[in-house]
Amino acid sequence: MNIQNIVIIGSGNLATNIAFAFKKIGVKIHFVYSRDANNAQQLAHQIGCSFTNNLNELPRTADLYIIAVADAAIHEVASKLTDCTGLFVHTSGSIAMNVFADYFTDYGVFYPLMSFSKSSILAFDTIPICVEANAEKNTKKLEYVAGLLTNRVQFLNSKDRQVLHLAAVFACNFTNLNYVIAEEILSKNTIPFDLLFPLILNSALKIQQQSPALLQTGPAIRNDLPVIETHLKMLEAMPEYKAVYALITTCIQHIKTKK
Amino acid sequence: MNIQNIVIIGSGNLATNIAFAFKKIGVKIHFVYSRDANNAQQLAHQIGCSFTNNLNELPRTADLYIIAVADAAIHEVASKLTDCTGLFVHTSGSIAMNVFADYFTDYGVFYPLMSFSKSSILAFDTIPICVEANAEKNTKKLEYVAGLLTNRVQFLNSKDRQVLHLAAVFACNFTNLNYVIAEEILSKNTIPFDLLFPLILNSALKIQQQSPALLQTGPAIRNDLPVIETHLKMLEAMPEYKAVYALITTCIQHIKTKK
């Protein structure tokens, strides 16, 4: 398969990481769009391609248009590209593929399951890319393109992608809140946060070997009431974290009951 | 310093990992005790030492007695070793050092900050060991012994150790619940859990470079109400997880306000 012309619409964390990933494997990005001309120029400069902040200036034909913008902007961007020919994908976990049904003939979804930031460009080879398309030939094309970037191409329909996104919110976003709370509790007592790094890393690695349901430890699963009581008292001055502690503890105790 | 005789009291996850760690660096464990004779024998066999299930049969003098039993059993074990001479430590995050004040002359705490299991014997070199003792000479001894096992010896008094333990409950135990929920949500939809592994690992690694407070992502911190509403609807059949989703989302939104 030959992918010569890729247009990237967006210059945020995900757009930037995808652009660098293609550059790394020698696939040329043809054009970058951002509504912010400076951002468009910066990313275009970094990967060596053309740029614009005007959707009308984008090439009207391309092999692949990757619309990597905020969920709320996907509709509007699509509505302004209806005279373009090519395969159109968005990169969102939560937006259904049929957002494009009224606008394009060939469309799909290209969702790399990762939390990206511009400041840390990631290697894509182990990042799952979830693909979905409206026709077999488009699915094949996305499978090919995703397969250039990663060893883990996953076909997921829009409903399952939404479920995966929800699971990722628990596993990643909510987990980060736990790190935030831990850091805050330690910092108030001038205890170094990095003492927790090996424990945190170990917890994240262990679940690759064994189901987390079998790995639950701590006072809640042991039903260690004296420790739980002490912890709740220690959190008196942080009522919101105390509420989190109480609810999560109950939730863990119910897991125990279910087993 | 010369540490020739170490007695390990306990044969659980932590006792087993400590015993193997000493064996690995060539420090001989003299005796292992467990109230369960089979467990005592098994661990003693693995590390090559004597064993007993009778506290009265333990040597009455040793360089170090490591009491690695459940929090609730520390008092009772200590009360039965009052005729012994040596340095006594427990390995608990939440029990104050002075649990030993009525029983021994030389005592302290030796708390490796990790979640251990017998099925996976860990290398100790990066695991923080938090030490505390009732006298300078005992602190020095614990610093020396801990330093044989790890590069990260941390002095912490009992109050700070309790704070660290609370932070670890958030960072490790509560985080594992997020993994449990994510796995359950995916499993109900026959979506492979391992799709989340790179994201989970990345989340655990990123906080070693940057404060988690600066790394919060997801619908809550973006205040992405349509996605939040959809997620809450998807959790209708799992009311407890829905409650967790709602509370944690509010909590993350407040972090945003605080910044």
Side-chain angles (χ1 to χ4, degrees):
Chain A
M1 208 173 284
N2 198 359
I3 301 288
Q4 298 216 35
N5 295 300
I6 296 180
V7 172
I8 293 186
I9 293 158
S11 61
N13 296 324
L14 198 154
T16 300
N17 272 271
I18 286 187
F20 272 91
F22 279 118
K23 186 188 179 194
K24 191 177 168 191
I25 59 166
V27 172
K28 197 171 158 43
I29 301 297
H30 188 44
F31 236 101
V32 162
Y33 161 89
S34 171
R35 62 185 170 182
D36 180 304
N38 287 334
N39 288 347
Q41 180 169 22
Q42 188 183 2
L43 180 54
H45 178 73
Q46 288 171 319
I47 60 168
C49 73
S50 307
F51 70 94
T52 177
N53 68 336
N54 179 350
L55 288 171
N56 293 320
E57 287 180 4
L58 285 178
R60 294 347 253 176
T61 305
D63 288 320
L64 184 62
Y65 292 86
I66 300 176
I67 302 177
V69 300
D71 287 3
I74 295 175
H75 247 297
E76 193 196 337
V77 166
S79 71
K80 292 182 178 163
L81 298 172
T82 50
D83 61 328
C84 295
T85 305
L87 174 54
F88 292 82
V89 293
H90 71 63
T91 56
S92 164
S94 44
I95 300 293
M97 175 176 70
N98 62 20
V99 65
F100 290 143
D102 291 343
Y103 301 117
F104 308 124
T105 308
D106 298 302
Y107 56 89
V109 177
F110 190 90
Y111 172 52
L113 183 60
M114 184 48 67
S115 176
F116 294 106
S117 74
K118 285 189 196 184
S119 59
S120 159
I121 301 300
L122 296 182
F124 261 61
D125 52 323
T126 62
I127 295 175
I129 299 183
C130 305
V131 299
E132 178 187 13
N134 72 321
E136 180 67 17
K137 65 166 183 172
N138 296 329
T139 308
K140 287 253 181 285
K141 196 168 177 179
L142 290 185
E143 183 183 10
Y144 171 76
V145 175
L148 296 174
L149 298 177
T150 181
N151 302 315
R152 189 67 199 274
V153 182
Q154 178 78 30
F155 300 97
L156 276 190
N157 64 31
S158 290
K159 184 193 141 289
D160 283 351
R161 181 162 31 79
Q162 204 170 38
V163 171
L164 179 60
H165 184 235
L166 172 60
V169 167
F170 279 97
C172 168
N173 304 148
F174 289 2
T175 285
N176 191 73
L177 178 72
N178 287 325
Y179 302 156
V180 170
I181 295 174
E183 185 183 44
E184 195 174 325
I185 290 171
L186 292 179
S187 140
K188 277 190 200 306
N189 294 272
T190 58
I191 300 167
F193 179 47
D194 72 348
L195 285 172
L196 289 176
F197 290 174
L199 182 64
I200 285 172
L201 192 56
N202 188 258
S203 302
L205 284 168
K206 276 197 296 193
I207 56 146
Q208 301 200 5
Q209 308 296 332
Q210 206 173 0
S211 164
L214 303 172
L215 290 168
Q216 190 64 52
T217 56
I221 197 87
R222 286 198 309 269
N223 200 29
D224 188 338
L225 299 180
V227 167
I228 293 170
E229 278 307 311
T230 303
H231 284 171
L232 288 171
K233 267 185 213 145
M234 290 165 76
L235 291 166
E236 283 297 351
M238 304 167 124
E240 198 153 25
Y241 299 161
K242 186 182 173 185
V244 170
Y245 188 101
L247 180 62
I248 301 292
T249 293
T250 310
C251 203
I252 291 173
Q253 287 169 330
H254 290 177
I255 284 176
K256 189 178 183 178
T257 318
K258 282 197 276 183
K259 272 200 282 192
Chain B
M1 212 172 283
N2 197 1
I3 302 288
Q4 298 215 38
N5 295 300
I6 296 181
V7 172
I8 293 186
I9 294 158
S11 62
N13 297 323
L14 198 154
T16 300
N17 271 272
I18 286 187
F20 272 91
F22 279 118
K23 186 188 179 196
K24 191 177 169 193
I25 58 165
V27 172
K28 195 167 160 47
I29 301 294
H30 187 46
F31 235 101
V32 163
Y33 161 89
S34 170
R35 61 185 172 185
D36 180 304
N38 287 334
N39 289 347
Q41 181 169 22
Q42 189 182 0
L43 180 55
H45 179 74
Q46 288 170 319
I47 60 167
C49 72
S50 308
F51 69 93
T52 178
N53 68 336
N54 179 350
L55 287 171
N56 293 321
E57 287 180 4
L58 283 178
R60 294 347 252 174
T61 305
D63 287 320
L64 183 63
Y65 292 86
I66 300 177
I67 301 177
V69 300
D71 286 3
I74 294 175
H75 247 297
E76 193 196 336
V77 166
S79 72
K80 292 181 179 163
L81 297 172
T82 49
D83 60 327
C84 295
T85 306
L87 174 54
F88 293 81
V89 294
H90 70 66
T91 57
S92 163
S94 43
I95 301 292
M97 175 175 71
N98 62 21
V99 66
F100 289 144
D102 291 342
Y103 302 118
F104 307 124
T105 309
D106 298 300
Y107 56 90
V109 177
F110 190 90
Y111 172 51
L113 183 60
M114 182 50 66
S115 175
F116 294 104
S117 75
K118 285 189 195 184
S119 59
S120 160
I121 301 300
L122 298 181
F124 261 61
D125 51 326
T126 61
I127 295 176
I129 299 182
C130 305
V131 299
E132 178 187 14
N134 73 321
E136 179 67 17
K137 63 167 185 173
N138 295 327
T139 307
K140 286 252 180 286
K141 196 167 178 181
L142 290 183
E143 181 183 12
Y144 171 78
V145 175
L148 295 174
L149 297 177
T150 181
N151 303 313
R152 190 66 198 273
V153 181
Q154 179 78 31
F155 299 96
L156 277 190
N157 64 33
S158 289
K159 183 192 142 289
D160 284 351
R161 180 161 34 78
Q162 202 170 37
V163 171
L164 179 61
H165 184 237
L166 172 60
V169 167
F170 279 97
C172 167
N173 305 149
F174 289 2
T175 284
N176 191 71
L177 177 73
N178 287 325
Y179 302 156
V180 170
I181 295 175
E183 185 182 45
E184 194 173 326
I185 290 171
L186 292 178
S187 141
K188 276 189 199 306
N189 294 271
T190 59
I191 301 168
F193 179 47
D194 72 348
L195 286 172
L196 289 177
F197 289 174
L199 182 64
I200 285 171
L201 192 55
N202 187 258
S203 302
L205 284 168
K206 276 198 294 194
I207 55 146
Q208 301 200 6
Q209 307 297 329
Q210 206 172 0
S211 165
L214 303 172
L215 290 167
Q216 190 64 52
T217 57
I221 196 88
R222 286 197 309 270
N223 200 29
D224 187 339
L225 299 180
V227 168
I228 292 169
E229 278 307 311
T230 304
H231 283 171
L232 289 171
K233 268 185 212 144
M234 292 165 75
L235 291 167
E236 284 296 351
M238 304 165 123
E240 197 154 25
Y241 298 163
K242 187 181 173 186
V244 170
Y245 189 102
L247 180 62
I248 302 291
T249 293
T250 310
C251 203
I252 292 174
Q253 288 169 329
H254 289 179
I255 283 176
K256 189 179 182 177
T257 319
K258 280 198 275 183
K259 271 200 281 191

